[in-house]
Amino acid sequence: MEILDKSKTVQIMNSTAQHSTAQHSTAQLTNLISKLKEIFQINQPDLDFGIYRILNSRSKEISQFLEKTLPEKIGNALGQNINQETAVYNHLYEFFSRYYDSGDFVSLRRYKGNTYAIPYAGEEVMLHWANKDQYYTKSGENFSNYAFYLADDKRVQFRLVEADTNKDNRKDNEQKRLFVLSEQPIEETAENLVIPFEYKALGKNDKQADYIDQAVEQLKSHPFANAVWQELFRLAPTEKDAKRTLLKKYLQDYTTKNTADYFIHKNLGAFLSGELDFYIKNEVMNLDDIQTETAFAEIEQNLQLIKIFKQVAQEIIAFLAQLEDFQKKLWLKKKFVTAVYYLITLDKLPDTLAEIALKNEQQIKQWQTLFNMDASGENLQNLRQKAPHLVVDTSLFAADFQAAVLKQMDDLDRQTDGVLIHSDNFQALNLLQARYKEQVKCIYIDPPYNTGEDDFLYKDNYQSSSWLSMFECRLALSKTYLNSEGFLVCHMDEHEHLSLEWLIKQIFNNGDMGKLIWDKRNPKGDAKGIATQHEYVHFATKNISNLDDECAFVRNKFNAENMLRKAELLIKKYGVSEQSKSEFKKWIRENNELSGGERAYNQIDENGDVYRAVSMAWPNKKKAPDEYFIPLIHPKTKKPCPVPARGWRNPPKTMNELLEKNLILFGDDETTIPNRKYLLKENLTENVPSLYYMAGSDDELFNNLGIQFENPKPIKAAQYFISTTARNYNSTILDYFAGSGTTAHAVINLNREDGGKRHYILVEQGEYFDTVLKPRIQKVIFAENYKDGKPQADNSGSFNGVSQLVKVLKLESYEDTLNNLELKKVATDLFSPKVQQDYLLHYMLDVESRDSLLNSDHFAKPFDYQLNITTTSAGAYAPQGIDLVETFNYLIGLKVAHIDDNRARSIVAVTGTMPNGEQAFILWRDCEKVGYAELNRYLESRSINPADSEYQVVYINGDHNVPTVFADSDDVVRTLKVRQIETEFLARMFEM
């Protein structure tokens, strides 16, 4: 038996221990690299959309930094001390893991361990939520319905049939929600395949990838009736997954888009740097334990470890900040107008253009579909008389038709009754803010209620904070649209009304007006506990002093006009007599539709005016001033009448004015206290009470319109609330959660009723923009009433349509911006390793993407500029022309007066007024076809020169030699401000 030498035994044990330590260090490094690849979003090479596509194109450089540069730097700095290396790896893993969650950094500000801190600046009360420092970027559009096309335009749709939402205190609130193939039947036709999915709460350790594989296998065995669907199982391999099918690719895209990347941090670098300091002080140095005997010695020994940990962490933070700031730049970039067209009623078109419309087969077909109007072969003049408000849709015509329509219109923006915008609402608000700043009288919105059953997408375990992040930045941005007398009106139910209340207080400060309760008179039948039958409507104003005007915020007395009309009919029949007065009182008494306040107007005076008697007593508990006790003299007995115990409501001057106007009611003699006479015709409005009673839905309305839409906001409620806050007949109303278009419908109806000229701006992103919102607006423009989808004429044969010009815009999306990015690799081989690393961590994304966003070369041929624009919810895209002209108008906030679109001559000229009141002339040209000489001749034909131009500022694209200074015979120097479109465009597009 061999006996080992003791010293050799010790060596072996030390060697074994070192080997074990090295293995442990390698394992920690592997875990760290895996986590950082996940955070840097290069761990999913199969994903080829959005930021994943961009970062995957540079995955080699990023992996080199993580797998080689980072461990070498740590090892060299620590003298290959494996224990300390392991400690650094552990700290890096721990630090970055605690803030990262499925594509997002959540601002959970740690003090130490699981003790949290929130930023506080000394406010009396503040509202805080986990994602307060972040922009919410999700759209519910591809959550419930995600579609893509196979060969021969065969459509495949993933439809969410059930979302298992986290509610109340259910135990599964802490579970992970995943997409799972539903047991409901697959719907298959010759052209469409609908595959149902559920969004279920499952175990924390369950993985979406496993459920994707299960779904693919189950669908492979499904007996499809049409062999075309077998294309779903065609291979779409990647380097990582050689057997990936087309179906799996789309499922990976679908699930990732709906479960990750909800937020963009507003300042990730500053946040993580601050958190790093907390972490080092409290969890590496443990300064709370500094008084113990060993604590200081441990800190002293670990100073090099702390130093290298902080240095490496700061480098990682720098790259993450670059990535997040890059996404923030793209999110905040003003988005391009990708399409613009108009809806214009026939009565606004001259005969030449109306005749062209009558010859357009697509237009004829649309009229038949929407209005049941067969105009084929119709004589124009007959059609004008029969249907003057037929809606002409310029999107159905060649571009020169719309150009001709606009050319014959002066003061274009003033004539535009409505603007419909198909876009994410944040992006629309961001682009239009220069144009509509302080011009909106009422923001009327009905945002998602965050019930968990609506289309609002939220991050698991962050339902309310996701909603708050979504709504806060949109509400704050929209506040800038309100004029000094403007109001916010916002619907909400019990789920988020408290959050909304504090959000309004935070954004509007003392402009918060509180909330109204809307009693729907219909308790929820499926409720557990209290059966809710109400919603809330929150009000705020930009300027609380505007409420000093007693007419600023009032409601119409609903039945006042009917009451006045009834009195008029009775007087016509009986004269101002006891019989007409008696009949009127009886009618008032028996009319169940009248409110208590309206019933009080039950008398007719000797002039035939309807009135009520109102006490003139001092309304406060304290006694009125002495001069408020002067008695009134009875007109018949000439004796003083009693004065109310606390005095009169009004001062002597007002009392004398009321006497002169015969607005004081005396009794038969001086023993009765006089009252004030309120004439109904002078009091057609009243204060808005805190309760609103209105039951019912608009299901019947939509059935009559022939349009399908779930849970539309009742138009009666919309008209009520808009009428209280947008009383001015030329008010502008903004709705950036437009849904089915109820707000526009309500505005059109109000204008019908009172002859107003209110304008509306609606923003909606849903696919139903084209199938519900737009056709609804077209229908209500043409006719007031519908039955079974067909317009109904009144007794005179009129459809009671309205003359309208409506502008329709479609904007580039954030996803479109990402899709059009291409990183152009910069040769860094000649750089030193230090410079290469600095470039990777701080500058790569900004530098290499610069030319793909927009550059000055694109302006040389501005009418040819194209981008890849998304065509399906699954992200398919196609090249599409971009309207740089329209985009620039919004960037500079131009109120457009006239557009001369003459692209046949390679020129478009726009005139209008800038926000500062300057008159502006904007000239776009194809620089290859309109050179210096042609440009100067054109400008001279328009008298645009320093000598006598009517414009204070001129914008021109491309190089030019236009003179900007002129000295007349008296040596008076005149100048013309000529600005380059390119410089202004780029500056404003990326302005934050």
Side-chain angles (χ1 to χ4, degrees):
M1 180 175 179
E2 183 179 355
I3 300 175
L4 291 175
D5 183 272
K6 186 176 181 181
S7 63
K8 288 183 179 180
T9 302
V10 171
Q11 288 176 3
I12 292 171
M13 290 175 64
N14 286 342
S15 175
T16 302
Q18 288 172 2
H19 180 70
S20 176
T21 302
Q23 282 186 324
H24 182 65
S25 176
T26 302
Q28 296 306 310
L29 175 59
T30 301
N31 289 339
L32 173 63
I33 291 172
S34 177
K35 174 55 69 174
L36 290 178
K37 283 187 174 182
E38 178 190 351
I39 293 174
F40 289 161
Q41 298 181 320
I42 60 168
N43 68 325
Q44 300 186 71
D46 298 340
L47 300 180
D48 58 356
F49 61 86
I51 199 68
Y52 296 97
R53 177 180 60 82
I54 296 165
L55 291 174
N56 281 332
S57 71
R58 294 295 178 268
S59 61
K60 181 179 178 181
E61 292 86 346
I62 298 170
S63 295
Q64 170 86 0
F65 169 72
L66 296 178
E67 295 171 0
K68 185 177 179 183
T69 307
L70 185 147
E72 284 182 356
K73 184 169 193 171
I74 294 172
N76 292 336
L78 296 175
Q80 307 303 324
N81 184 322
I82 294 176
N83 287 327
Q84 288 196 330
E85 287 180 33
T86 303
V88 170
Y89 297 151
N90 282 335
H91 282 306
L92 289 171
Y93 183 91
E94 170 66 21
F95 176 73
F96 288 105
S97 295
R98 60 173 46 176
Y99 301 106
Y100 184 78
D101 180 6
S102 300
D104 297 303
F105 279 93
V106 182
S107 299
L108 297 175
R109 297 174 180 267
R110 306 264 184 145
Y111 172 71
K112 184 176 182 179
N114 290 321
T115 302
Y116 297 89
I118 63 172
Y120 176 63
E123 303 93 334
E124 180 186 4
V125 179
M126 68 168 293
L127 174 65
H128 183 76
W129 60 96
N131 310 107
K132 190 173 185 178
D133 299 332
Q134 295 168 294
Y135 296 105
Y136 175 92
T137 65
K138 277 295 179 192
S139 160
E141 191 52 37
N142 62 14
F143 180 60
S144 299
N145 296 289
Y146 175 98
F148 56 93
Y149 289 88
L150 301 177
D152 299 325
D153 289 332
K154 304 297 183 183
R155 186 173 185 267
V156 180
Q157 179 182 344
F158 301 154
R159 177 182 292 165
L160 191 69
V161 294
E162 184 176 347
D164 188 5
T165 56
N166 297 344
K167 292 182 182 178
D168 308 320
N169 294 313
R170 278 172 32 182
K171 291 182 179 179
D172 63 8
N173 278 3
E174 297 302 315
Q175 292 182 292
K176 182 165 41 174
R177 293 179 303 158
L178 300 175
F179 289 91
V180 179
L181 186 64
S182 173
E183 294 182 1
Q184 292 191 22
I186 293 171
E187 300 174 21
E188 181 183 357
T189 67
E191 302 295 327
N192 291 283
L193 179 68
V194 178
I195 305 174
F197 281 85
E198 297 177 15
Y199 196 35
K200 300 178 67 172
L202 298 166
K204 284 187 176 181
N205 296 323
D206 286 328
K207 295 180 180 179
Q208 183 65 71
D210 294 336
Y211 284 95
I212 289 175
D213 289 337
Q214 289 178 25
V216 172
E217 291 305 312
Q218 290 178 51
L219 290 168
K220 276 184 179 179
S221 61
H222 182 79
F224 292 107
N226 193 336
V228 71
W229 307 121
Q230 293 302 318
E231 187 183 347
L232 286 168
F233 308 108
R234 173 173 56 82
L235 288 182
T238 67
E239 184 177 339
K240 187 177 179 181
D241 185 358
K243 295 183 178 180
R244 187 182 74 160
T245 62
L246 188 64
L247 175 62
K248 184 174 180 179
K249 171 205 167 352
Y250 280 114
L251 283 171
Q252 287 172 333
D253 288 359
Y254 174 56
T255 55
T256 302
K257 284 181 177 180
N258 289 306
T259 55
D261 303 312
Y262 276 75
F263 306 102
I264 296 174
H265 207 289
K266 296 177 181 177
N267 193 345
L268 183 62
F271 167 69
L272 287 178
S273 294
E275 292 299 295
L276 180 63
D277 287 342
F278 265 111
Y279 184 87
I280 291 172
K281 291 171 185 175
N282 295 322
E283 302 192 38
V284 181
M285 300 176 72
N286 293 310
L287 291 183
D288 286 348
D289 304 326
I290 196 67
Q291 292 180 331
T292 64
E293 293 181 9
T294 60
F296 189 75
E298 289 176 0
I299 292 172
E300 207 170 21
Q301 291 174 7
N302 291 325
L303 279 178
Q304 184 62 16
L305 180 153
I306 294 168
K307 180 180 177 182
I308 191 62
F309 165 62
K310 182 171 184 179
Q311 185 178 344
V312 172
Q314 285 177 330
E315 289 179 352
I316 295 172
I317 289 171
F319 187 87
L320 291 173
Q322 179 195 176
L323 172 58
E324 203 77 0
D325 289 347
F326 180 66
Q327 292 181 83
K328 182 177 81 168
K329 175 183 176 181
L330 300 182
W331 174 252
L332 294 179
K333 178 189 87 73
K334 310 296 191 303
K335 300 302 182 283
F336 291 108
V337 175
T338 62
V340 57
Y341 60 94
Y342 290 82
L343 307 174
I344 181 170
T345 47
L346 195 64
D347 63 318
K348 285 181 173 287
L349 291 179
D351 286 352
T352 52
L353 294 176
E355 290 285 5
I356 294 173
L358 269 176
K359 295 174 184 176
N360 185 306
E361 291 183 5
Q362 285 182 282
Q363 184 63 86
I364 297 294
K365 183 178 179 181
Q366 189 186 75
W367 286 343
Q368 179 70 52
T369 301
L370 291 175
F371 315 127
N372 193 39
M373 177 68 66
D374 183 4
S376 55
E378 186 74 70
N379 174 274
L380 176 60
Q381 299 311 316
N382 290 341
L383 192 63
R384 282 193 185 281
Q385 187 173 5
K386 181 170 63 175
H389 302 118
L390 274 173
V391 182
V392 175
D393 184 345
T394 66
S395 71
L396 305 177
F397 296 76
D400 58 351
F401 177 81
Q402 180 167 302
V405 170
L406 298 181
K407 189 170 185 176
Q408 55 96 31
M409 303 199 75
D410 293 318
D411 213 352
L412 179 61
D413 274 10
R414 187 185 62 81
Q415 289 200 57
T416 301
D417 299 279
V419 181
L420 309 178
I421 307 168
H422 193 182
S423 166
D424 171 88
N425 49 20
F426 179 86
Q427 301 302 341
L429 292 170
N430 198 28
L431 175 63
L432 272 61
Q433 58 183 313
R435 170 62 183 83
Y436 291 104
K437 182 180 180 181
E438 297 181 351
Q439 294 181 48
V440 169
K441 182 66 168 65
C442 171
I443 295 173
Y444 179 70
I445 50 177
D446 182 24
Y449 288 177
N450 201 18
T451 62
E453 298 172 354
D454 50 25
D455 285 336
F456 176 70
L457 270 172
Y458 61 87
K459 193 174 187 73
D460 274 350
N461 302 320
Y462 296 98
Q463 183 171 352
S464 286
S465 59
S466 296
W467 186 89
L468 277 163
S469 285
M470 178 279 295
F471 196 54
E472 184 270 340
C473 58
R474 288 158 175 79
L475 184 61
L477 185 54
S478 68
K479 182 189 174 187
T480 65
Y481 281 63
L482 289 175
N483 62 29
S484 60
E485 299 174 346
F487 291 95
L488 166 74
V489 185
C490 181
H491 289 263
M492 190 49 56
D493 74 353
E494 69 274 13
H495 289 85
E496 295 292 355
H497 79 98
L498 291 176
S499 296
L500 174 62
E501 182 176 345
W502 280 106
L503 201 58
I504 289 174
K505 290 179 186 295
Q506 185 171 288
I507 293 173
F508 285 84
N509 301 313
N510 68 345
D512 173 32
M513 294 167 58
K515 55 195 173 190
L516 170 154
I517 294 175
W518 171 9
D519 184 351
K520 295 185 169 185
R521 305 292 181 94
N522 183 25
K524 290 182 179 178
D526 58 351
K528 294 180 180 179
I530 296 175
T532 304
Q533 68 177 45
H534 69 278
E535 287 185 9
Y536 300 92
V537 183
H538 293 249
F539 290 84
T541 180
K542 193 172 182 180
N543 178 15
I544 198 69
S545 63
N546 125 63
L547 295 179
D548 293 341
D549 179 354
E550 62 181 21
C551 294
F553 182 64
V554 292
R555 72 173 183 178
N556 294 327
K557 291 175 179 172
F558 291 135
N559 298 298
E561 294 292 341
N562 289 337
M563 293 164 67
L564 291 174
R565 197 174 298 114
K566 181 65 176 179
E568 183 181 354
L569 291 173
L570 290 171
I571 290 170
K572 279 184 178 180
K573 187 174 182 179
Y574 303 113
V576 180
S577 62
E578 288 303 318
Q579 186 170 0
S580 61
K581 293 178 182 180
S582 174
E583 290 284 337
F584 184 70
K585 278 190 175 183
K586 181 182 178 184
W587 180 81
I588 291 286
R589 189 169 55 250
E590 294 175 353
N591 193 326
N592 295 325
E593 293 184 1
L594 301 181
S595 67
E598 290 167 340
R599 287 177 185 279
Y601 286 92
N602 62 356
Q603 300 183 69
I604 298 176
D605 68 10
E606 62 277 7
N607 297 318
D609 288 324
V610 176
Y611 74 93
R612 64 174 292 188
V614 179
S615 169
M616 292 193 294
W618 179 256
N620 301 324
K621 290 183 178 180
K622 291 184 178 180
K623 193 177 74 168
D626 291 344
E627 63 268 26
Y628 284 64
F629 285 84
I630 300 173
L632 295 173
I633 304 301
H634 194 277
K636 291 182 179 178
T637 67
K638 307 302 181 184
K639 294 180 180 180
C641 297
V643 176
R646 289 194 295 271
W648 300 113
R649 172 186 288 268
N650 305 114
K653 181 180 178 183
T654 302
M655 298 296 281
N656 288 330
E657 290 173 353
L658 292 174
L659 278 169
E660 291 173 5
K661 294 177 181 178
N662 197 27
L663 293 177
I664 291 182
L665 297 168
F666 291 91
D668 292 336
D669 57 32
E670 74 280 0
T671 60
T672 304
I673 298 176
N675 286 317
R676 178 174 174 177
K677 178 196 284 188
Y678 271 79
L679 299 179
L680 180 57
K681 68 181 182 182
E682 295 179 358
N683 294 278
L684 297 176
T685 61
E686 59 189 356
N687 288 335
V688 179
S690 61
L691 296 176
Y692 172 62
Y693 300 94
M694 202 282 285
S697 71
D698 273 356
D699 291 344
E700 184 180 358
L701 171 69
F702 272 72
N703 287 334
N704 285 331
L705 283 170
I707 296 174
Q708 300 300 313
F709 191 78
E710 288 188 10
N711 303 318
K713 184 62 62 181
I715 191 169
K716 184 177 179 181
Q719 286 180 219
Y720 173 73
F721 293 119
I722 293 172
S723 69
T724 65
T725 52
R727 302 193 64 77
N728 296 345
Y729 286 178
N730 62 347
S731 297
T732 297
I733 295 91
L734 167 65
D735 180 359
Y736 50 90
F737 291 98
S740 67
T742 297
T743 296
H745 194 163
V747 170
I748 290 170
N749 278 0
L750 286 172
N751 288 341
R752 263 198 194 100
E753 292 174 5
D754 58 25
K757 189 66 176 173
R758 299 174 186 84
H759 304 267
Y760 49 90
I761 305 169
L762 269 61
V763 184
E764 178 53 54
Q765 185 175 23
E767 289 185 345
Y768 47 82
F769 181 95
D770 291 316
T771 58
V772 175
L773 187 151
K774 176 187 165 185
R776 179 183 186 181
I777 305 309
Q778 290 172 290
K779 280 175 171 281
V780 299
I781 287 172
F782 178 72
E784 182 175 12
N785 297 304
Y786 283 79
K787 179 76 173 176
D788 298 326
K790 300 175 182 179
Q792 303 297 296
D794 62 18
N795 293 333
S796 67
S798 170
F799 292 112
N800 202 17
V802 292
S803 183
Q804 290 270 293
L805 174 65
V806 180
K807 187 177 189 178
V808 184
L809 296 169
K810 181 173 175 59
L811 303 187
E812 169 198 19
S813 69
Y814 174 59
E815 290 76 15
D816 291 331
T817 305
L818 292 173
N819 284 339
N820 284 279
L821 277 177
E822 295 291 341
L823 297 187
K824 294 186 177 179
K825 197 170 180 94
V826 173
T828 59
D829 297 344
L830 299 178
F831 296 168
S832 69
K834 186 177 185 307
V835 173
Q836 286 186 33
Q837 180 178 316
D838 193 46
Y839 173 77
L840 174 71
L841 297 180
H842 296 91
Y843 306 109
M844 180 187 72
L845 293 174
D846 204 35
V847 171
E848 297 187 9
S849 67
R850 192 168 292 162
D851 287 341
S852 66
L853 288 172
L854 183 68
N855 63 60
S856 56
D857 293 342
H858 295 131
F859 290 89
K861 296 180 73 64
F863 313 128
D864 298 337
Y865 184 55
Q866 289 190 326
L867 289 176
N868 289 322
I869 300 299
T870 302
T871 56
T872 70
S873 58
Y877 55 82
Q880 184 174 321
I882 298 301
D883 199 323
L884 295 181
V885 176
E886 197 68 45
T887 304
F888 188 64
N889 291 344
Y890 283 113
L891 288 175
I892 62 176
L894 188 74
K895 288 184 181 177
V896 177
H898 190 261
I899 297 178
D900 184 1
D901 190 332
N902 197 343
R903 297 186 195 215
R905 291 181 55 197
S906 303
I907 281 180
V908 174
V910 183
T911 62
T913 306
M914 298 287 287
N916 62 4
E918 289 183 330
Q919 295 302 302
F921 179 87
I922 298 98
L923 182 68
W924 292 84
R925 62 195 168 114
D926 184 327
C927 294
E928 294 181 6
K929 298 177 181 178
V930 181
Y932 286 17
E934 294 89 349
L935 172 63
N936 289 331
R937 282 197 298 271
Y938 179 82
L939 293 176
E940 193 58 39
S941 72
R942 300 286 299 258
S943 298
I944 296 174
N945 56 66
D948 56 6
S949 176
E950 63 182 290
Y951 304 104
Q952 285 82 51
V953 59
V954 173
Y955 289 97
I956 303 174
N957 70 307
D959 294 332
H960 59 81
N961 60 354
V962 176
T964 59
V965 179
F966 173 79
D968 62 16
S969 56
D970 297 326
D971 291 330
V972 176
V973 176
R974 299 176 185 174
T975 61
L976 179 65
K977 286 192 288 188
V978 180
R979 295 175 179 166
Q980 188 182 43
I981 286 177
E982 291 87 329
T983 304
E984 192 86 4
F985 198 113
L986 290 168
R988 289 182 182 255
M989 174 156 275
F990 292 101
E991 191 176 55
M992 294 188 186

